[in-house]
Each structure stands twice: as C-alpha cells, then as structure tokens.
C-alpha cells in the first residue's frame, strides 16, 4: 500500500562543519515540536534530507493528501528547512513503479490540465536495483509518453518534473514548496522582542528567529487607553511569530500609570523618547531575568520621529544589553512583504490604538540632545517607574 511521506531538505545547517550535529539535532527537535499536533511521527535523517512520516498507518494527519499538505506547510515554516516535498512511498519492483508513476501523473494532470511537457529525474540509493538512474528515467519517461499522448519531454524547461527515488522503498514526488531557510531556533540563544501591535516588530522577531534565536516578547499595555482588543492583537501576533520561533513567554507590562505620569511631568515633545527609554529599561530587566542576551526592536532608520539617529542613540544609552534592530536598513515595503509572507499583515493592520499613538505629541523632537533628555526626565522618578513596570500588574502569557 502506498503512503504519504514528507521529504524535507536542510540548507545552511549542512555547512556547519564540526557543529553540524548540534544544528541537525536542534532542527529535528524543532520539527517534532512544530508537528506535535499531527499524531505520532517518525522523523529520520539521511545526509542533507529529513524524512517525515506517520509511525502507524492509522494516523489521520497523514492519511489524506489535504491533511498531509497542512503538515507540509508546517514543515516549511521550521527554520533550517530550505524546501519540502510531499512524496508517495510504496514497495514493489519496477513494474509497480511504472504503474504507480502512471497513476501519479494521471492525478497530477487532473489538477493541472495545462501541463504539456515533463521530465523524469531519478535517484537510486539501492545499488542492488537492476536499472541505473538514467535507465529508470528512460523507462518511466517512455511509459508516461505511451500513456499520455498530450505530453512530450522537455529536459530544459518542463512544466513538471517527476522524481523517482529508489532506496529502502520507492518514492514518487513532483515539485517542492520553498521553506523559510535560516538556522534552527535554539542554536543562537534567546532575545527579548519589544512587540507592539504594528507591522514592524513581529517581522523583527521573525528575522532574528530565522538566525536561530529563541524569542520572548514584552508588550507595554496602557489599559484603558489601549483596549483589550489591542492586547489580544499582540497576543495573536505573538502566536504568529511563535509558529516560526517556537515556545515563547509574552510579558504584558501595565504601562498606564507610567505613561500618565510622563504626560503630566515631562515636556510633550519628548514623551516618545522618555517612554522609549523606560520601555527599554523594563525590557532589559525582564530579559536578564528570563535568560535573554539581547533586546530586539522593529525600528527602521528615519521611519518616524523616534527613529532618527539622535533619537535612537539617546534611547540606546539606557540599555546595557545589545539592542538588535534587524529592520534598521529595510524599506517599509519590504517589511510589509515579509509581514504578508509570514501571515502577520492582516492582524497587524487591525485598527486598534497603540500606547505610542495614544500619548504621542503632534510634533515630537526629531533631534533630541542630552540636555533635552535631562530636562525631560528631571521631574520623573525613572527608577520607580521601572520598578513599577516590573512589579505592578505584570502578566506573563505562555504562547
Ligand atoms: P511597529 O510597527 O513594530 O509598531 P512602529 O513603526 O510603529 O513599529 P514605533 O512605534 O516607533 O514604530 O516603535 C518602534 C519599536 O518600539 C517597535 O517596533 C517595537 O519594537 C517597540 N514598541 C513600540 N511600542 C511598543 C509597545 N507598546 N510594546 C512593546 N514594544 C513597543
Ligand atoms: Mg507601532
């Protein structure tokens, strides 16, 4: 009987010299975690490829093609995977292979009646098999031509490629879904993402996770100025990032009193900066407590008033951990493209207010000096604010 299996290909991981084993193991752990809701699976590696299949025949997640497609998508979202294909696995001699290949192409042509040209590619892991790889291609190709007169062979630019692989079992597949590449999460420490409800910060988290970084997140919430829906939106965005980055703690800081205090006691045009500085200090304390070795923001140079070099410098000064800004040189359009690709965009553009927009000045200082910030913070008890953020009403949500 034929069954569905997924063939996943590893990318950069395989270039890792002596450390390769560590990266590969982490990748398999991450695959297992990402696929935890799809029943009992066997995940095995051979060279630069990983094979994923059901442990027993009655696993419904692998039974139908539609269900298997869902697993395929999940596999491509695990960093370290460059591409994946859904393959048919079966036993039998060459006659069986030809028969299955014809049935496979028949089904493919029903889905894609526009296909007119093809080629066969083959791999033979089982050297006992009586035909060589080129012979397999010629024989299978010839049989397909005989059965589908509308098709012709085009080795340079075919509409579809039929892959035939012969190893412990026989495998047939056509086409592949591209993965998100990168390195397995868990191979590059952990970072604390400042996650707002906007477009940029979820993308920033995704980008650092793609380099192997595990992510925790912190959101500054100013209830009731920012609504319950605004918070839910951030939770939803955290879930989207965690599809790629794995388990995550989301810290929700009660920011209301702190912000009201700032509005009352600090010049209006400096609020954005003072707020940013306090956010960064609270985030840093949370980062240290939870084992994060850096902070991550969605800032992009010049995008808004608080993202000029002067403003970034003045904000940065309060942090001792490095602040990573993966979007700093990235165009907004490109950020939106990534946001769409990871499925965050629709959530990010929901029209709920953010604490920065609620209290923002009409004309914030774009080139703040040290004197400006000294003046702005002179009437504020920053230390107490940071303490308050860490202790009063801090909520931790496991994502
Ligand atoms: P985003 O699209 O991520 O909201 P933005 O373009 O709106 O970013 P800013 O509002 O200046 O830019 O925020 C810059 C960065 O500061 C954000 O990317 C995020 O990392 C952090 N940040 C802003 N507001 C919050 C918040 N309420 N909670 C947590 N982090 C925040
Ligand atoms: Mg924002």
């Amino acid at each position: 009987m034929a069954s569905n299996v997924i063939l996943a290909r590893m990318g950069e991981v395989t270039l890792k010299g002596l450390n390769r084993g560590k990266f590969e193991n982490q990748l398999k752990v991450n695959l297992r975690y990402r696929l935890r809701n799809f029943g009992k699976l066997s995940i095995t590696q051979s060279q630069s490829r990983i094979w994923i299949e059901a442990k027993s025949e009655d696993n419904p997640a692998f039974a139908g093609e539609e269900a298997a497609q869902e697993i395929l998508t999940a596999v491509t979202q695990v960093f370290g995977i460059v591409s994946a294909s859904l393959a048919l696995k079966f036993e039998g001699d060459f006659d069986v292979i030809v028969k299955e290949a014809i049935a496979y192409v028949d089904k493919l042509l029903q889905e894609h009646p526009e296909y007119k040209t093809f080629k066969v590619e083959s791999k033979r892991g089982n050297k006992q098999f009586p035909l060589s790889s080129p012979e397999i291609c010629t024989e299978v190709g010839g049989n397909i031509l005989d059965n589908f007169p509308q098709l012709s062979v085009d080795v340079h630019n075919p509409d579809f490629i039929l892959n035939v692989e012969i190893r412990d079992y026989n495998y047939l597949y056509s086409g592949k879904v591209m993965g998100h590449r990168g390195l397995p999460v868990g191979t590059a420490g952990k970072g604390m993402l400042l996650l707002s409800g906007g477009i940029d910060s979820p993308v920033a988290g995704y980008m650092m996770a793609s380099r192997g970084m595990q992510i925790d997140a912190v959101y500054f919430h100013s209830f009731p100025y920012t609504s319950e829906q605004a918070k839910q939106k951030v939770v939803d965005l955290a879930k989207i990032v965690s599809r790629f980055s794995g388990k995550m703690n989301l810290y929700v800081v009660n920011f209301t009193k702190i912000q009201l205090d700032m509005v009352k006691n600090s010049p209006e045009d400096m609020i954005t900066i003072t707020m940013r500085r306090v956010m960064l200090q609270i985030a840093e304390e949370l980062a240290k407590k939870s084992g994060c070795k850096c902070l991550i923001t969605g800032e992009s140079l010049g995008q808004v008033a608080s993202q000029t070099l002067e403003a970034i410098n003045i904000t940065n000064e309060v942090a001792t951990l490095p602040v990573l800004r993966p979007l700093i040189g990235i165009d907004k359009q490109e950020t939106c493209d990534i946001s769409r690709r990871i499925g965050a965009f629709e959530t990010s553009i929901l029209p709920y207010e953010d604490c920065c927009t609620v209290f923002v000045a009409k004309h914030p200082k774009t080139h703040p000096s040290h004197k400006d910030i000294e003046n702005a913070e002179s009437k504020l008890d920053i230390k107490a604010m940071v303490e308050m953020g860490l202790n009063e009403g801090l909520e931790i949500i496991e994502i």
Side-chain angles (χ1 to χ4, degrees), residues 12 28 32 43 124 194 215 224 272 284 292 300 337:
E12 211 178 324
K28 279 177 270 178
R32 209 165 271 293
I43 299 179
R124 192 183 58 140
L194 282 82
I215 304 287
T272 312
E284 175 156 302
C292 295
S300 174
D337 291 345

Side-chain angles (χ1 to χ4, degrees), residues 193-204 218-222 226 234 255 259 272 275-276 279-280 296-300 303-307 327 332 335 348 354-357:
L193 170 67
L194 282 82
L195 182 62
S196 69
I199 294 169
D200 301 322
S201 42
V203 172
V218 53
Y219 165 60
F220 296 88
H221 188 45
S222 293
T226 53
V234 174
F255 210 45
Q259 276 199 314
T272 312
M275 200 171 72
R276 254 323 123 63
M279 279 185 182
L280 224 51
I296 305 163
T297 75
E299 288 161 304
S300 174
Q303 198 181 92
V304 289
S306 59
Q307 298 175 12
L327 305 185
K332 186 80 186 186
T335 303
S348 283
D354 180 66
C355 70
C356 303
T357 44

Side-chain angles (χ1 to χ4, degrees), residues 86-349:
L86 183 57
L88 202 63
K89 170 183 172 179
F90 55 94
E91 278 178 301
D93 59 13
F94 194 65
D95 288 342
V96 177
I97 295 174
V98 169
K99 224 174 87 205
E100 288 286 352
I102 289 168
Y104 191 94
V105 171
D106 191 41
K107 193 157 159 272
L108 195 65
L109 290 178
Q110 281 172 30
E111 286 159 25
H112 296 279
E114 73 280 12
Y115 283 176
K116 293 287 176 261
T117 59
F118 76 103
K119 83 169 172 182
V120 180
E121 285 182 357
S122 86
K123 270 207 176 89
R124 192 183 58 140
N126 172 3
K127 298 294 174 202
Q128 249 86 72
F129 196 78
L131 300 180
S132 68
S133 286
E135 285 168 343
I136 296 168
C137 291
T138 314
E139 284 297 316
V140 173
N143 275 284
I144 291 173
L145 285 173
D146 290 345
N147 278 271
F148 304 97
Q150 73 272 38
L151 291 180
S152 60
V153 171
D154 179 348
V155 292
H156 300 296
N157 191 21
D159 293 333
F160 73 92
I161 298 173
L162 180 68
N163 294 82
V164 182
E165 296 203 9
I166 297 164
R167 38 185 77 232
D168 52 340
Y169 289 82
N170 308 311
Y171 300 87
L172 286 175
Y173 61 91
S174 181
K176 57 185 176 189
V177 181
M178 297 315 288
H180 288 249
R181 300 186 294 269
L183 293 170
V185 171
T187 57
K190 187 156 76 164
M192 179 65 75
L193 170 67
L194 282 82
L195 182 62
S196 69
I199 294 169
D200 301 322
S201 42
V203 172
Y206 163 86
M207 283 176 74
M208 290 326 300
S210 85
R211 298 314 298 162
M213 193 173 275
Q214 201 189 333
I215 304 287
D216 274 344
V218 53
Y219 165 60
F220 296 88
H221 188 45
S222 293
F223 188 78
Y225 300 94
T226 53
S227 63
E228 195 52 42
Q229 286 134 303
K231 175 176 146 192
Q232 185 56 45
K233 177 180 167 182
V234 174
V235 172
D236 292 341
L237 287 170
K239 283 183 185 157
I240 292 169
V241 174
S242 83
R243 275 183 213 151
F244 300 91
S245 69
K247 252 188 202 149
M248 173 196 293
N249 281 327
L250 170 65
Y251 298 86
V252 180
V253 174
N254 179 354
F255 210 45
T256 317
K257 271 201 208 157
I258 299 173
Q259 276 199 314
L260 290 175
D261 189 0
M262 280 181 190
V263 171
K264 206 166 132 206
N265 294 314
S266 131
E268 197 198 354
D269 61 355
M270 283 296 289
I271 283 181
T272 312
I273 307 279
T274 47
M275 200 171 72
R276 254 323 123 63
R277 281 164 60 103
V278 171
M279 279 185 182
L280 224 51
Q281 289 171 77
I282 295 173
E284 175 156 302
E285 289 310 312
L286 291 171
K288 286 176 180 163
K289 278 186 196 166
S290 57
C292 295
K293 296 196 172 62
C294 67
L295 304 175
I296 305 163
T297 75
E299 288 161 304
S300 174
L301 192 63
Q303 198 181 92
V304 289
S306 59
Q307 298 175 12
T308 63
L309 261 190
E310 288 88 345
I312 288 176
N313 277 338
I314 284 208
T315 311
N316 204 58
E317 278 169 4
V318 298
T320 61
L321 289 176
V323 182
L324 305 186
R325 301 177 174 87
L327 305 185
I328 198 72
I330 304 236
D331 186 80
K332 186 80 186 186
Q333 194 56 49
E334 203 177 328
T335 303
C336 289
D337 291 345
I338 301 174
S339 173
R340 283 195 191 89
R341 204 170 67 226
I342 66 174
F345 191 74
E346 295 305 318
T347 306
S348 283
I349 59 172

